[in-house]
Amino acid sequence: MAGRIRDEDIALVRERTAIADVISEHVTLKAAGGGNLKGLCPFHDEKTASFTVAPGRNVYFCHGCGQGGDAIKFLMDIDHLSFVESVERLAGRAGIQLRYIEAGPAPVRQQQGQRQRLVAAHAAAAEFYAEQLGTGPAQKAREFLAERGFDRATAQQYGCGFAPDAWDHLAKHLRQKGYNAQELITAGLVREARSGSLIDRFRGRLLWPIKDLTGDVIGFGARRLFEKDDGPKYLNTPETPIYKKSHVLYGVDLAKREIAKQGRVVIVEGYTDVMACHLADVPTAVATCGTSFGSDHIGVLRRLLMDTDGFTGEIIFTFDGDAAGQKAALRAFEEDQKFVGRTFIAISPDNMDPCELRLAKGDLAVRDLVARREPLVDFALRQVLSRHDLDTVEGRVDAMRRAAPLVAKIKDREKRPEYIRKLAGDLGMEIEPVQRAVSAASGRAEPATGRPAPVESVVDSPQAMVERECLKLALQMPALAGPMFDALAADVYRHPVHVVVREAITAAGGAASAVAGAVWIEGVRDACGDLAAKALVGELAVEPLRLDTEPDPRYVSVALARLQLGSVAARIRELKSKVQRVNPVTNKDEYLALAGELFSLEQHARALREQAVGGL
């Protein structure tokens, strides 16, 4: 189990950190009078600077989107770090040795020290490999990059390197820097020979450093260059304490901010595809590293996309058009059901990957590939139907049986009736048998009219879960959540009982002025106007929070941002419907007023979305 950083050490980090120095690495700051500094907010788009830094108080605040806090909070938001990771990074800058309160029998600092050593060893290895790329023996590696349209500057930008075709060049280099044999073996940089000597894991290969969300190098991907190399075409770092291939996405450190900003991620298959997409102005591209796209990758992307029922992003897969690519796309459809966002597929007409496409037809062709995406379910259904002879009764029935489970898996139940009708049309069949097949595949009976099944109740909806989490924070930890919680009125809650509880918290004096405990809970319960709300207060007072560690200001900020997004997204949907019904010529003033309000709300939603990157 992880240990908790001592409170006095956290206070020391805050005291010794100059917030202006930290923020100026990301934002250009100018004097704004009164000792304050101003710049353009990094958390939302703006043309007039509203982001204020107060060095005297070591805090910042944006008057446009409402983001604010200290240096710890800034790093958490800008680099998607946890509270502990942010404190550790600032402590490193300030030269502060952190102390941890151990939460188990194992010494926590020893584990933390191991990670720091392994990360440092990888950083040294990346520097070594990058230097080797400029040497004579690396000519074939440089030619490989050049043939794919990547010049020297691009190679440096992505940290490309070359592993010398020798047994232990890296091992000797790192041993001279003070790393012991066990550290290098644990890091996956070398392996032990039968004789006991160390052998470099990567030899005679072109390398890409693989980084985590914070930008730390945690592994490498290596491409075979020479015919005498009888190893696999691509060789990756093995599983280590810091490298878990099922969690790693190449390029995510560079793409994370654009993913959060655009609400879109493009998933490609290789390192050069990521480079090509980024250079072609598709900055949200990432790739898996030596494994297929899976559930853990989805967890990483959902936090970046803020993939909830209130605000859905886009996930765009790019695959080769060959049989292997089609199989991978159908596998992606299975994983797609774990996303709430809209999932698409983009396949080049010439079956070229993004790197090949950019080389053959230029940057615009890569952007067009992404722009021409189609819903993944459409592609999956088309692939299933293409395997059957639809001119025969047997072929149509068999195709229906194979396609019905795909339609049954569509998570958006509102879309199922339309896809049932589309599938019936593609098969040339009546809608009733297709409806029955889909109902059977979903394990429940649905009306033959093609109407969607009732949507989940609001009590069990993701939005209601977020509302519960916010109320729990106010009831269980009012000192932590109070100021931020009280700033949001009851109208952001959609469940009627939750509204009553929220109003009762205000009637009891507000969370900011409360002290956690039975007196506070009873005060809120007494202020509730109905029995259901009273019972809910008691339930929420003891229900565990939806995280395994102690909550921090970041968690409160994420929860409240997601809470607001539910009501903002609902209002956006209402406005869009109104705008579509208003004639912009005959009702110009009304149209412009609605459009203006819509634009403002969408800006607010974007700011909330960026604030809420994280996970409940």
Side-chain angles (χ1 to χ4, degrees), residues 582-593:
V582 173
N583 188 316
V585 177
T586 58
N587 301 91
K588 181 179 179 181
D589 291 342
E590 182 183 2
Y591 181 87
L592 291 177

Side-chain angles (χ1 to χ4, degrees), residues 84-101:
V84 171
E85 289 169 337
S86 182
V87 172
E88 289 174 344
R89 180 172 292 188
L90 291 174
R93 289 172 60 112
I96 297 171
Q97 181 70 39
L98 296 175
R99 296 167 297 168
Y100 294 73
I101 299 173

Side-chain angles (χ1 to χ4, degrees), residues 306-492:
M306 205 221 33
D307 186 55
T308 70
D309 69 327
F311 202 108
T312 57
E314 286 189 5
I315 304 93
I316 304 171
F317 293 93
T318 65
F319 294 110
D320 294 340
D322 57 16
Q326 293 176 10
K327 184 177 180 181
L330 293 177
R331 195 165 56 240
F333 177 80
E334 296 295 323
E335 297 293 354
D336 166 45
Q337 305 315 304
K338 298 172 186 175
F339 277 115
V340 175
R342 296 165 294 165
T343 312
F344 300 84
I345 187 169
I347 296 180
S348 169
D350 302 311
N351 293 340
M352 292 188 287
D353 60 37
C355 182
E356 295 168 337
L357 186 61
R358 176 176 179 265
L359 194 62
K361 300 185 178 181
D363 292 349
L364 181 59
V366 178
R367 295 196 293 272
D368 286 345
L369 170 65
V370 175
R372 292 195 307 268
R373 63 197 179 278
E374 69 170 320
L376 185 56
V377 62
D378 289 3
F379 174 84
L381 286 172
R382 190 169 66 252
Q383 292 302 310
V384 169
L385 297 186
S386 68
R387 301 172 190 165
H388 302 275
D389 182 1
L390 302 184
D391 292 331
T392 66
V393 173
E394 293 80 3
R396 289 194 294 272
V397 172
D398 194 24
M400 178 188 70
R401 289 171 177 165
R402 299 286 183 180
L406 298 184
V407 177
K409 288 179 181 177
I410 297 173
K411 56 186 166 289
D412 188 343
R413 295 182 181 179
E414 298 285 346
K415 294 180 180 178
R416 288 185 196 170
E418 291 303 318
Y419 275 102
I420 288 171
R421 281 188 280 271
K422 181 180 185 304
L423 178 57
D426 291 341
L427 292 170
M429 300 175 66
E430 296 293 331
I431 192 172
E432 285 77 11
V434 178
Q435 171 68 61
R436 288 194 296 270
V438 172
S439 297
S442 65
R444 55 181 167 73
E446 291 184 352
T449 58
R451 295 175 182 172
V455 296
E456 60 186 351
S457 70
V458 68
V459 178
D460 299 320
S461 71
Q463 172 65 23
M465 292 170 64
V466 172
E467 293 179 9
R468 288 177 70 92
E469 195 72 357
C470 294
L471 293 173
K472 283 189 289 184
L473 285 167
L475 292 170
Q476 297 177 24
M477 297 191 170
L480 175 68
M484 287 187 282
F485 178 90
D486 288 346
L488 300 181
D491 59 5
V492 299

Side-chain angles (χ1 to χ4, degrees), residues 471-478 504-505 508 514-528 533-542:
L471 293 173
K472 283 189 289 184
L473 285 167
L475 292 170
Q476 297 177 24
M477 297 191 170
I505 290 173
V515 177
V519 174
W520 166 236
I521 300 300
E522 287 304 312
V524 175
R525 193 199 305 270
D526 291 341
C528 287
K534 288 180 183 291
L536 182 61
V537 169
E539 181 180 348
L540 296 178
V542 298

Side-chain angles (χ1 to χ4, degrees), residues 529-572:
D530 71 48
L531 294 177
K534 288 180 183 291
L536 182 61
V537 169
E539 181 180 348
L540 296 178
V542 298
E543 182 176 298
L545 294 169
R546 296 175 60 82
L547 79 169
D548 298 324
T549 58
E550 284 294 313
D552 56 35
R554 165 67 172 163
Y555 186 75
V556 177
S557 176
V558 167
L560 293 174
R562 292 191 167 194
L563 173 65
Q564 294 177 77
L565 268 169
S567 60
V568 171
R571 179 57 181 157
I572 286 175

